[in-house]
């Protein structure tokens, strides 16, 4: 029944088309219907050069030919035109202008040229293999014209295929006659009157194609009109429509196949089945408005191929365009949702109309939610407030943590990308690494990888960077209190919370480090200790003791001072001895590289390695010597406490006394605690008495 109804629709369409061209009345001849024709001229532009490669000028005879191959083969069509060339050899022509009917439409259809030169349908033509390609190539040539490669014809020339719309089932409208309606319950019969008009009181039912050799009626009445019957594969049952209408829903039967025209203009069942308003393709039991059974449903288009789904509240599409496949929600404010079933159908992902992407949305909120959205549209914003309409990623907990936090964000901001979580953010990993990215300019990122721990206003903070300068001692790591522009930030504080704790500095191979130093302290003292093997050096600051600052060796080792990274200049030994200029423990005080000057614990001094000087006494006395006769001496004595016989005596004479000509002065210990001073005149003349003066007496004991 569905097939008969479809044929009726086709018949009404054809009859309406014919009647619109010119009304017919009984006894009149069928007039020819004038059909608008698709223009068969193709505009083409190019440039011509002569065989020497120079642009041609003037007018030239040019042959245009269309081929089925890029190279070789036989021309499917050609024509020659006289072409007027512009500056540079440029020209524009209309292909087909010199050919009757223009460019043959068959060049771009399923009709191929056979050996006789005629065009026949593909499935019946004795085709040439060179014409089996759907591509068409244009060749340009002529006398004194440089040969150029053929040009592939695309898009616009294939618009000629639209001319096929003038045909139905591959046949022109002139191949059809109008058949009268049959009576209900009678066998199907389609006839025309001898005048080719529809009988009075009848209604047109279908357009019937004429068989080969059957012409339309001429209207002369000289011969009876032929009766034309469609070759229908399955007979139409009488009274079917009335019976099915009375019974309600239809029961599928063979007549429910939608009919189609075969290549021989016969009506045969198609692969489309219709029953109860449902259409099936590949099935005779459609359960939906369109039910397709097969491996693939294909929608093709030269622009956008798509499937449109429209409901009372929204509309969407699934399709393919030049940018690739797409899934679209066309209704303003609507979303694209992704639902799956784990026993119940749940929405697990949603793309909102404003660009947000929610994973685990409303129906799955108990599992948390992941959102990809613009910062200025999301309900949770980054603390930086610098992202604006840029997109950020948010991962939210279903229930807040112990501090009330729940939203984790990764977002762009002024200086780069920010990771934000108001609560505790932990990294559970064996290693946490920050490496330099070579794509970041040194002027922006520095020569190494940087780790910042920002302050409360995000102006800087702790800056850690590692610099690779070839490895070993050439490479280093910097730890600094720094701003982003590397200006002063403030102090870098190292803190331990207990006085028994210490900052320790270890040195050594991985896993075998030993302590090289520590900073420790108590309530009354702070210590900086350096260690190397059994040696420990300490710098101590003590508060409230007799000694406020100390430097020394906590271990039983000498303490030395050196300069210019050379040998020790001053050494303090565990014995308490002190050396200057040497590291030999020889005396309480030893001075010189070989201890030339030494002071014993008893105070004895050795100079240059000689006999030790145990005591030195120095006094002054006012002495007044009298006149010196010729060859005579004068003696005076002074008391020197501790002087003993044999002690060394030295005199310090003032100039008024020591300058007397011919007088010689000397002193000695003349008795216990007494030093005598004598002056002798060795001349033959008398020397006047010198003025009274203070004389210094130095005495050394060994």
């Amino acid at each position: 029944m569905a097939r008969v109804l479809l044929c009726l629709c086709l018949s009404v369409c054809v009859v309406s088309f014919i009647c619109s061209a010119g009304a017919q009345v009984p006894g009149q001849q069928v007039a020819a219907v004038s059909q608008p024709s698709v223009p068969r001229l193709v505009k083409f532009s190019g440039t011509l050069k002569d065989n020497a490669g120079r642009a041609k000028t003037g007018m030239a005879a040019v042959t245009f030919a269309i081929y089925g191959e890029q190279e070789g083969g036989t021309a499917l069509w050609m024509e020659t035109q006289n072409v007027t060339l512009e500056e540079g050899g440029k020209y524009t022509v209309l292909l087909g202008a010199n050919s009757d009917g223009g460019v043959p439409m068959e060049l771009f259809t399923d009709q191929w040229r056979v050996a006789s030169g005629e065009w026949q349908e593909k499935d019946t033509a004795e085709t040439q293999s060179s014409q089996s390609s759907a591509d068409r190539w244009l060749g340009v040539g002529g006398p004194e014209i440089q040969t150029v490669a053929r040009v592939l014809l695309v898009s616009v020339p294939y618009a000629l295929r639209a001319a096929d719309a003038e045909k139905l089932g591959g046949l022109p409208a002139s191949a059809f006659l109008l058949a009268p309606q049959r009576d209900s319950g009678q066998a199907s019969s389609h006839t025309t009157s001898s005048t080719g008009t529809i009988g009075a009181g009848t209604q047109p039912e279908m357009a019937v194609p004429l068989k080969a050799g059957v012409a339309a009626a001429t209207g002369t009445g000289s011969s009876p009109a032929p009766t034309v019957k469609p070759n229908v594969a399955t007979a139409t049952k009488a009274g079917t429509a009335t019976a099915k209408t009375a019974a309600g829903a239809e029961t599928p039967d063979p007549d429910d196949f939608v009919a189609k025209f075969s290549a021989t203009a016969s009506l045969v069942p198609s692969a489309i089945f219709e029953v109860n308003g449902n259409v099936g393709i590949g099935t005779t039991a459609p359960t939906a408005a369109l039910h397709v059974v097969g491996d693939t449903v294909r929608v093709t288009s030269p622009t956008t191929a798509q499937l449109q789904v429209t409901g009372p509240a929204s509309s969407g599409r699934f399709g393919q365009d030049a940018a690739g496949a797409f899934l679209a929600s066309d209704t303003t404010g609507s979303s694209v949702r992704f639902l799956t079933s784990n026993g119940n159908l749940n929405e697990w992902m949603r793309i909102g109309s404003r660009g947000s992407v929610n994973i685990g949305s409303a129906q799955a909120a108990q599992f948390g939610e992941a959102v990809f959205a613009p910062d200025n549209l999301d309900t949770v914003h980054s603390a930086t407030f610098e992202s604006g309409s840029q997109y950020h990623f948010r991962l939210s907990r279903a229930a807040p943590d112990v501090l009330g936090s729940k939203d984790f964000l990764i977002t762009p901001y002024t200086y780069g990308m920010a990771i934000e979580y108001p609560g505790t953010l932990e990294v559970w990993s064996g290693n946490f690494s920050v490496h330099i990215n070579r794509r970041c300019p040194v002027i922006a990122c520095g020569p190494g990888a940087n780790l910042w721990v920002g302050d409360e206003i995000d102006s800087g903070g702790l800056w850690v960077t590692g610099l690779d300068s070839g490895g070993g001692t050439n490479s280093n790591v910097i730890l600094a209190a720094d701003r982003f522009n590397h200006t002063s930030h403030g102090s870098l504080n190292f803190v331990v919370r207990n006085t028994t704790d210490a900052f320790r500095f270890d040195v050594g191979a991985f896993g075998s480090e030993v302590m090289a130093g520590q900073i420790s302290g108590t309530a009354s003292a702070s210590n900086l200790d350096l260690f190397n093997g059994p040696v420990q050096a300490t710098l101590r600051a003590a508060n409230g003791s007799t000694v406020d600052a100390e430097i020394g060796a906590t271990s039983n080792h000498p303490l030395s001072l050196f300069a210019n990274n050379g040998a020790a200049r001053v050494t303090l030994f565990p014995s308490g001895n002190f050396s200057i200029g040497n590291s030999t423990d020889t005396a309480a005080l030893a001075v010189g590289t070989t201890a030339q000057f030494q002071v014993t614990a008893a105070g004895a001094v050795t100079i240059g390695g000689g006999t030790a000087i145990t005591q030195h006494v120095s006094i002054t006395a006012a002495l007044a010597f009298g006149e010196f006769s010729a060859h005579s001496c004068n003696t005076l004595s002074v008391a020197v406490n501790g002087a003993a016989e044999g002690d060394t005596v030295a005199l310090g004479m003032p100039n008024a006394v020591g300058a007397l000509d011919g007088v010689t002065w000397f002193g000695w210990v003349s008795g216990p605690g007494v030093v005598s001073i004598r002056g002798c005149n060795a001349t033959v003349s008398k020397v006047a008495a010198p003025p009274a003066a203070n004389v210094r007496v130095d005495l050394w004991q060994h």
Side-chain angles (χ1 to χ4, degrees):
M1 178 60 67
R3 177 187 54 192
V4 175
L5 292 177
L6 177 63
C7 293
L8 177 60
C9 292
L10 293 175
S11 301
V12 172
C13 292
V14 172
V15 171
S16 298
F17 174 77
I18 295 175
C19 291
S20 64
Q24 303 297 314
V25 296
Q28 288 185 342
Q29 187 177 1
V30 179
V33 179
S34 176
Q35 301 286 340
S37 177
V38 175
R40 296 181 181 177
L41 302 179
V42 179
K43 187 176 182 180
F44 181 77
S45 300
T47 303
L48 293 181
K49 296 182 179 180
D50 60 20
N51 291 331
R54 297 184 298 268
K56 289 185 68 64
T57 59
M59 181 175 292
V62 183
T63 299
F64 300 92
I66 296 179
Y67 298 83
E69 298 85 13
Q70 185 175 4
E71 296 179 352
T74 303
L76 304 178
W77 172 87
M78 69 171 58
E79 74 173 3
T80 300
Q81 296 188 23
N82 290 326
V83 178
T84 301
L85 302 171
E86 300 176 358
E87 182 180 359
K90 298 179 180 179
Y91 67 93
T92 299
V93 297
L94 294 176
L95 301 179
N98 281 5
S99 302
D100 293 338
V103 177
M105 179 192 69
E106 291 81 2
L107 282 172
F108 308 100
T109 66
D110 291 336
Q111 292 184 330
W112 292 354
R113 189 185 296 276
V114 297
S116 64
E118 297 177 344
W119 296 91
Q120 295 184 9
E121 295 293 335
K122 175 180 177 181
D123 55 357
T124 60
E126 299 176 0
T127 62
Q128 301 175 10
S129 61
S130 63
Q131 300 167 14
S132 61
S133 171
D135 295 338
R136 294 294 180 261
W137 300 82
L138 177 65
V140 181
E144 301 297 326
I145 294 178
Q146 186 182 67
T147 302
V148 295
R150 295 175 184 174
V151 178
L152 177 65
L153 299 180
V154 297
S155 295
V156 173
Y158 278 92
L160 292 174
R161 185 67 175 85
D164 194 43
E166 299 173 358
K167 300 180 180 180
L168 179 61
L171 299 175
S174 60
F176 290 84
L177 291 177
L178 301 180
Q181 182 183 18
R182 69 176 183 269
D183 295 332
S184 175
Q186 297 179 355
S188 176
S189 176
H190 306 282
T191 62
T192 59
S193 66
S194 60
T195 60
T197 61
I198 301 174
T202 64
Q203 298 295 327
E205 183 180 18
M206 65 175 66
V208 182
L210 293 173
K211 296 290 186 177
V214 179
T218 62
T220 61
S222 58
S223 61
T227 299
V228 182
K229 297 182 180 180
N231 182 12
V232 181
T234 304
T236 302
K237 294 180 293 183
T240 301
T242 303
K244 289 185 177 181
T245 302
E250 298 181 11
T251 300
D253 60 37
D255 282 344
D256 291 322
F257 280 104
V258 177
K260 69 173 183 180
F261 284 104
S262 69
T264 58
S266 298
L267 285 175
V268 297
S270 69
I272 303 174
F273 193 88
E274 188 275 332
V275 62
N276 295 321
N278 293 338
V279 176
I281 300 177
T283 177
T284 59
T287 59
L290 177 61
H291 187 168
V292 179
V293 176
D295 295 333
T296 304
V297 176
R298 177 175 297 177
V299 179
T300 61
S301 170
T303 54
T304 300
Q306 57 191 337
L307 295 176
Q308 180 83 39
V309 181
T310 302
S314 62
S315 177
R317 290 174 294 144
F318 174 71
Q320 170 84 25
D321 58 16
F326 64 85
L327 184 64
S329 177
D330 296 322
T331 304
T332 302
S334 64
S335 303
V336 174
R337 299 178 299 144
F338 297 85
L339 290 78
T340 59
S341 176
N342 57 357
N344 295 314
L345 191 63
N346 291 307
E347 175 187 328
W348 297 105
M349 181 174 175
R350 174 182 297 193
I351 303 176
S353 61
R354 302 292 295 275
S356 62
V357 179
N358 296 52
I359 301 175
S361 52
Q363 297 183 41
Q366 67 271 24
F367 301 113
E369 184 181 34
V371 177
F372 184 66
D375 180 65
N376 60 351
L377 296 179
D378 197 5
T379 56
V380 176
H381 290 263
S382 167
T384 59
F385 292 107
E386 298 179 25
S387 298
S389 60
Q390 298 184 87
Y391 279 74
H392 71 227
F393 172 77
R394 171 167 60 86
L395 181 65
S396 299
R397 298 165 54 106
D401 62 18
V402 294
L403 299 178
S405 302
K406 61 176 294 186
D407 299 306
F408 170 84
L409 291 95
I410 301 177
T411 179
Y413 79 120
T414 299
Y415 299 103
M417 295 293 295
I419 297 177
E420 178 195 344
Y421 185 68
T424 300
L425 185 63
E426 296 186 7
V427 178
W428 293 66
S429 176
N431 298 284
F432 183 80
S433 299
V434 179
H435 299 279
I436 188 172
N437 192 316
R438 299 298 180 185
R439 293 183 296 173
C440 185
V442 174
I443 191 174
C445 297
N450 306 318
L451 174 64
W452 291 89
V453 179
D455 58 20
E456 68 277 8
I457 61 173
D458 201 26
S459 66
L462 176 66
W463 180 55
V464 182
T465 186
L467 301 176
D468 180 14
S469 300
T473 57
N474 294 326
S475 301
N476 60 80
V477 175
I478 298 174
L479 179 68
D482 211 349
R483 290 182 181 270
F484 286 115
N485 59 1
H486 300 297
T487 58
S488 176
H489 182 275
S491 61
L492 180 62
N493 300 335
F494 296 88
V495 178
V496 292
R497 302 301 182 187
N498 196 313
T499 56
T500 60
D501 296 331
F503 287 103
R504 294 185 175 180
F505 304 89
D506 296 343
V507 176
F510 179 76
S512 303
E513 300 88 350
V514 295
M515 185 169 63
Q518 73 173 10
I519 299 175
S520 61
T522 64
S524 59
S526 298
N527 301 320
L528 172 60
D529 300 310
L530 300 178
F531 301 87
N532 192 287
V535 180
Q536 178 179 349
T538 301
L539 176 63
R540 178 181 297 120
N543 182 23
S545 65
T546 56
V547 180
D548 293 330
E550 297 176 295
I551 182 172
T554 309
S555 58
N556 191 28
H557 293 84
L559 175 65
S560 299
L561 300 178
F562 59 87
N564 198 28
N565 203 28
R569 301 298 186 221
V570 177
T571 303
L572 176 63
F573 296 94
S575 62
N577 292 341
F578 193 75
S579 295
I580 300 175
N582 70 89
S583 57
T584 305
D585 187 4
T586 57
L589 174 62
V591 181
T593 56
T594 58
Q596 296 94 331
F597 178 86
Q598 296 184 12
V599 178
T600 67
V605 177
T606 299
I607 301 175
T611 303
I613 299 174
T614 60
Q615 187 176 13
H616 170 242
V617 179
S618 181
I619 66 169
T620 59
L623 300 178
F625 287 91
E627 182 184 68
F628 289 89
S629 301
H631 298 290
S632 65
C633 297
N634 292 332
T635 302
L636 296 175
S637 297
V638 295
V640 179
N641 187 31
E645 186 176 352
D647 290 347
T648 302
V649 176
L651 301 175
M653 304 299 291
N655 184 57
V657 177
L660 294 175
D661 290 338
V663 178
T664 303
W665 305 90
F666 61 93
W668 75 97
V669 178
S670 56
V674 178
V675 172
S676 295
I677 300 172
R678 176 174 291 177
C680 297
N681 180 12
T683 67
V684 295
S685 303
K686 177 177 68 174
V687 177
N694 291 324
V695 178
R696 177 169 292 281
V697 179
D698 286 302
L699 184 143
W700 285 273
Q701 295 178 343
H702 299 279

